[in-house]
Amino acid sequence: MGNFSIEKELIRNERLVTRSIQIGFFASAFFLANAVFFDVAVPFFVPFWAVIQSQFPKMRKATLAGGIIGAFSLNFGQLFILIMQLLLFQILNKWKQQPLPLAFQVSIATLTVQVLWQIIYAQGLPTFDVWMAVLFEVLLAYVMTLLVGISVQGQPLQFSLPWKADRIIASLIIVSIMVTGMTSFQFGQFSLSIFLIHLLLCVIGFRFSFATTVMTATVIGTIIAVANLSFTGMLSVVILTGIVIGLSRPLGKVGIAFISVLPSVFFFLYDATLPLDSVYFVSIAIAMGAFLMIPVQAYQKVEYYFQPVSYTHLRAHET
């Protein structure tokens, strides 16, 4: 009877974690489908889907639903383009004669659909800047496919594998791109992207080294700056916030939470051109509160749940 109760509890926990992961994949796909670079390029969901559909068969429905809803939230035209790219990618992916590398399949699907769409939309040949935007989108799609592959490393949900530098940086870039897809989600005085950036830096500063915290801040700040074609200003705020949080780690959670706001206050007082308004400070205040409310035990539970043995039922070769 005791063994049966333990087995039942393990099954219940496994289902709970699986459902949580499905929600995570849905959210990731949704925000990647919303991520816009250079105000024109939206190339990030198809690469994400390309890797997920092969490595995580049980996450396909959640991922696809998140991507489609995310694209529809932008506009109907983007949804149509995304569906065409997905259909063409699936055709290329099922081609058995001479299968192309995954990144090339994604690039061909992105290029073909975008070229046809732009010609139809312009009722002729598009202008040079449109061709350049299409080229950038194809290049970003190719790079994104490689990044997702590096982050996964052919091991579905094996998060306890060694996190080497390439895997860490690839994962941080993907998270940063997701954050750019959150910038339009503002609820009153609350900005989801600002909240998550500050919360993430606080959590990493509390659990990891100074170097990891600064690297995280640098990657996030750089990706956001590139996406918005703004290479100063907020990039400095994010990086300095990461440095301050990393240095304040010996002070514990309370010290990190309250000291983390100092760079923002500094730039607010000395640079009036930055968008450090009430929305920004309310969002980081909520992030500080959320950070303080996370119990230390929660980190241990997450580390336990993401052991390889917990996810053998989700391996890619299982259906």
Side-chain angles (χ1 to χ4, degrees):
M1 186 67 180
N3 291 336
F4 176 77
S5 299
I6 294 174
E7 184 178 351
K8 186 176 180 181
E9 180 67 18
L10 288 174
I11 292 174
R12 188 185 72 83
N13 290 338
E14 195 172 77
R15 289 176 178 173
L16 177 63
V17 174
T18 302
R19 183 58 56 88
S20 300
I21 294 174
Q22 288 174 335
I23 294 173
F25 274 87
F26 175 89
S28 299
F30 178 86
F31 290 118
L32 286 173
N34 268 275
V36 180
F37 267 43
F38 316 129
D39 294 328
V40 290
V42 193
F44 300 110
F45 172 70
V46 177
F48 186 69
W49 164 257
V51 177
I52 299 307
Q53 60 92 27
S54 61
Q55 295 287 345
F56 302 82
K58 293 191 175 182
M59 300 294 131
R60 290 173 181 168
K61 292 182 179 179
T63 303
L64 186 61
I68 290 177
I69 296 174
F72 182 72
S73 68
L74 285 177
N75 54 66
F76 182 77
Q78 185 57 44
L79 174 62
F80 178 78
I81 292 173
L82 178 64
I83 291 175
M84 292 299 101
Q85 289 175 341
L86 288 173
L87 289 175
L88 182 54
F89 166 76
Q90 292 301 131
I91 293 173
L92 293 171
N93 191 245
K94 298 299 182 182
W95 190 263
K96 301 298 184 181
Q97 297 292 336
Q98 289 181 323
L100 295 170
L102 205 60
F104 281 103
Q105 295 176 26
V106 172
S107 300
I108 292 172
T110 302
L111 176 64
T112 304
V113 173
Q114 276 294 351
V115 167
L116 293 176
W117 173 264
Q118 296 300 335
I119 291 176
I120 294 172
Y121 184 80
Q123 297 181 349
L125 292 178
T127 58
F128 177 76
D129 59 332
V130 173
W131 286 120
M132 290 302 297
V134 172
L135 176 61
F136 278 125
E137 183 159 347
V138 173
L139 290 175
L140 288 171
Y142 180 86
V143 172
M144 182 65 175
T145 308
L146 298 180
L147 290 174
V148 177
I150 292 172
S151 180
V152 172
Q153 292 191 348
Q155 298 290 332
L157 299 179
Q158 301 293 301
F159 290 98
S160 62
L161 285 174
W163 283 84
K164 297 181 181 178
D166 57 345
R167 191 183 184 198
I168 293 173
I169 294 174
S171 300
L172 286 176
I173 292 174
I174 294 170
V175 170
S176 302
I177 293 172
M178 289 172 54
V179 171
T180 65
M182 303 175 187
T183 53
S184 60
F185 292 89
Q186 181 174 319
F187 310 95
Q189 295 291 305
F190 175 77
S191 170
L192 181 60
S193 60
I194 296 172
F195 166 82
L196 286 177
I197 290 172
H198 199 81
L199 178 61
L200 179 62
L201 291 178
C202 288
V203 170
I204 291 179
F206 177 63
R207 295 297 297 179
F208 298 97
S209 66
F210 172 79
T212 302
T213 307
V214 175
M215 180 180 66
T216 302
T218 303
V219 171
I220 292 176
T222 302
I223 295 297
I224 294 174
V226 170
N228 297 298
L229 296 176
S230 174
F231 299 99
T232 57
M234 292 306 296
L235 173 60
S236 302
V237 176
V238 175
I239 293 177
L240 185 58
T241 300
I243 293 173
V244 170
I245 289 175
L247 291 174
S248 60
R249 184 188 180 192
L251 302 178
K253 291 183 68 176
V254 176
I256 291 175
F258 285 97
I259 293 178
S260 66
V261 75
L262 293 182
S264 300
V265 173
F266 171 81
F267 280 101
F268 173 76
L269 294 175
Y270 291 98
D271 191 345
T273 64
L274 295 177
L276 302 177
D277 52 10
S278 59
V279 173
Y280 181 87
F281 283 102
V282 168
S283 300
I284 65 172
I286 296 174
M288 290 164 56
F291 171 64
L292 291 173
M293 291 175 61
I294 299 176
V296 177
Q297 294 80 2
Y299 298 103
Q300 299 172 347
K301 290 182 179 180
V302 170
E303 292 169 1
Y304 168 77
Y305 283 140
F306 284 87
Q307 292 298 316
V309 68
S310 300
Y311 295 98
T312 53
H313 67 295
L314 291 175
R315 286 183 181 273
H317 65 265
E318 293 184 1
T319 58

